[in-house]
Amino acid sequence: MRKKKAPTTSLFINPPFLDKLWYGDHPARWLLLPFSLAYRLIVALRRKYLQRFRQQQFPVPVIVVGNLTVGGVGKTPLVIALAKQLKARGMNVGIVSRGYGAEIKQFPHEVNLDDKAALVGDEPLLLAKKTGCPVVIAPKRTEAVQYLLDKHKSQIIISDDGLQHYAMGRSIEIVVIDGQRGLGNGLCLPAGPLREDVRRLQQADFIIVNGEQERPEGEVSSYRMDLMPGELTHLITGKTLKPSKVEHPVAAVAGIGNPQRFFSTLAALDIEFKAYSFPDHHLFKPEELNLTEKTLVMTEKDAVKCQSFATDSMYFLPVEAAVEDTFWNTLWLHEQLQGHI
C-alpha cells in the first residue's frame, strides 16, 4: 500500500520573502530594479577588467562548473561525476574549491580525509571523500590551481563553482541550472537571483539542467541531469537501508542551498517525514539534531559535518548525477580537451 506523504513543514528556513521576490511576481522587484541594474553594470565592468588585466592562464585544461543563480543547483554531484569520468579515462584530476565557511586561515590547503568539515568546508570534504582526487581550497582559486600543478602534476583541473572568479583562466565553462526554479524572474541581485545577466549563458560551453522542466532558450545546447538517489546509509556503520524499511517517524534535515529538492526526493521514495531546513553550509551542533523522531535522514553533504557526533538514528541519502550521454560525447570532443584526454 502506498504511503501518504506527510506535509513538509520546515524550521530555520530562509526568508520566504526572497522566494516570492525572486521566483514569483512580487511587485517589490520593480522597486529594487535600479539597484539590480547598477549591480549588473558593476559585475560586467569587473569581469572585463579581470579578464583583460588579471586573468591567469594555465598549461592544462581548467573546467569550471558554476551557476548564475544564488543557491544550490546541484553543482557538486556533477563535479563528482565529471571527476570520476575523467579518472576512468586515465587522467590525473585535481579539484579546486573556495572552501566556503572554512575555519582554516592558511591557503592554499589540501583537504585531508580526516579533516573536519568546519575546518575545510563541507563541499570540499565531500569531494575529497567521493572522488579520491586531490582537493585544494583557497579564496584565490589561482593559488589552488598552481598548487595542484606543482604538487600533483594534475593533467586536468575542475573548479567547483568559480564561474565569476575571472582571475582564473578556464578552458570550458559548464553552467548548471535548477530545472524546478529556473532563473527566477530573470533579474540580477537584489531584485532577482542572478549573479550575472541572463545573456551570460550564451558564452558558456555547456548548460546542464538539473531535474529539467523547461530548457532555457538560446543558441547554447542544454543537457538534462537527474540526481539519482541511492539507499539510505547509516552514518556510523555505513550499512545501507532500503527506504521501505526505515523506521517512522522520520525527521528530514537539510542544510543545503535548495532543501526542497531533497525533501521532494524523500517524498518520491514514499518516506513520510517532518522537514527541518537549515541555512546552506550550516555547521550543526549535536543539540540541534536532538529531535523527537525515531529516524533522522540528512543529505550526504550534511553528513560529513555530523560524523563526529553521529548517533544510531542518523542516516544520509546519497545521490549521483546522471547526465545524458550526448553531453559526455560532446564534452570529450571539445576542442579544448583535444590532445589532453
Side-chain angles (χ1 to χ4, degrees), residues 34-320:
F35 301 98
S36 179
L37 295 174
Y39 171 89
R40 189 173 71 179
L41 176 62
I42 292 170
V43 166
L45 292 174
R46 173 184 174 275
R47 179 187 176 203
K48 289 183 179 298
Y49 168 75
L50 291 174
Q51 286 180 323
R52 183 167 183 179
F53 299 108
R54 301 293 298 275
Q55 192 170 83
Q56 182 178 346
Q57 302 297 329
F58 300 98
V60 302
V62 175
I63 301 176
V64 174
V65 179
N67 60 312
L68 285 188
T69 56
V70 175
V73 293
K75 297 186 302 296
T76 300
L78 179 59
V79 170
I80 293 170
L82 185 57
K84 289 181 177 180
Q85 288 275 358
L86 288 166
K87 285 182 66 177
R89 299 176 78 89
M91 300 296 296
N92 180 10
V93 182
I95 300 174
V96 300
S97 175
R98 167 67 175 83
Y100 181 85
E103 294 178 354
I104 194 169
K105 300 302 179 184
Q106 293 184 338
F107 300 102
H109 174 80
E110 182 173 352
V111 176
N112 298 305
L113 295 183
D114 57 355
D115 280 339
K116 301 299 183 184
L119 184 70
V120 298
D122 49 9
E123 289 171 351
L125 184 57
L126 179 61
L127 288 169
K129 288 178 178 292
K130 296 283 285 186
T131 66
C133 297
V135 177
V136 179
I137 61 172
K140 295 182 179 179
R141 292 172 189 263
T142 52
E143 296 179 355
V145 174
Q146 195 60 52
Y147 180 99
L148 285 169
L149 294 175
D150 295 339
K151 301 294 184 180
H152 292 279
K153 310 300 180 186
S154 297
Q155 298 170 299
I156 193 164
I157 293 171
I158 307 171
S159 177
D160 181 27
D161 209 352
L163 185 67
Q164 289 79 31
H165 194 94
Y166 290 113
M168 178 181 63
R170 68 283 310 269
S171 307
I172 295 175
E173 291 182 334
I174 302 175
V175 177
V176 185
I177 296 174
D178 187 299
Q180 294 179 349
R181 301 195 297 179
L183 299 177
N185 58 20
L187 299 176
C188 287
L189 293 166
L194 298 185
R195 298 173 176 178
E196 295 184 83
D197 185 82
V198 67
R199 290 173 293 183
R200 177 69 174 83
L201 286 177
Q202 304 306 314
Q203 297 157 355
D205 296 279
F206 298 94
I207 298 173
I208 301 293
V209 182
N210 180 10
E212 175 193 25
Q213 285 188 346
E214 293 184 4
R215 299 195 180 214
E217 297 180 0
E219 300 176 2
V220 180
S221 298
S222 61
Y223 303 88
R224 177 169 179 165
M225 176 179 77
D226 291 294
L227 298 182
M228 309 303 295
E231 293 187 335
L232 295 171
T233 304
H234 197 263
L235 262 70
I236 298 177
T237 66
K239 293 183 178 180
T240 59
L241 179 71
K242 293 184 181 300
S244 59
K245 301 297 184 180
V246 67
E247 292 189 73
H248 290 79
V250 175
V253 172
I256 57 177
N258 181 13
Q260 189 55 50
R261 179 175 292 279
F262 173 63
F263 299 145
S264 297
T265 300
L266 292 181
L269 294 173
D270 285 331
I271 297 177
E272 295 183 6
F273 60 91
K274 181 177 180 180
Y276 297 86
S277 294
F278 291 77
D280 195 14
H281 304 289
H282 181 72
L283 292 176
F284 291 95
K285 299 177 181 178
E287 57 269 23
E288 291 176 317
L289 299 182
N290 186 21
L291 304 172
T292 59
E293 287 79 9
K294 190 174 185 63
T295 303
L296 191 155
V297 179
M298 62 183 65
T299 71
E300 191 168 13
K301 191 175 89 166
D302 291 321
V304 301
K305 297 177 286 189
C306 302
Q307 200 74 51
S308 62
F309 57 85
T311 67
D312 195 52
S313 66
M314 293 183 181
Y315 291 81
F316 69 85
L317 182 71
V319 295
E320 289 191 0

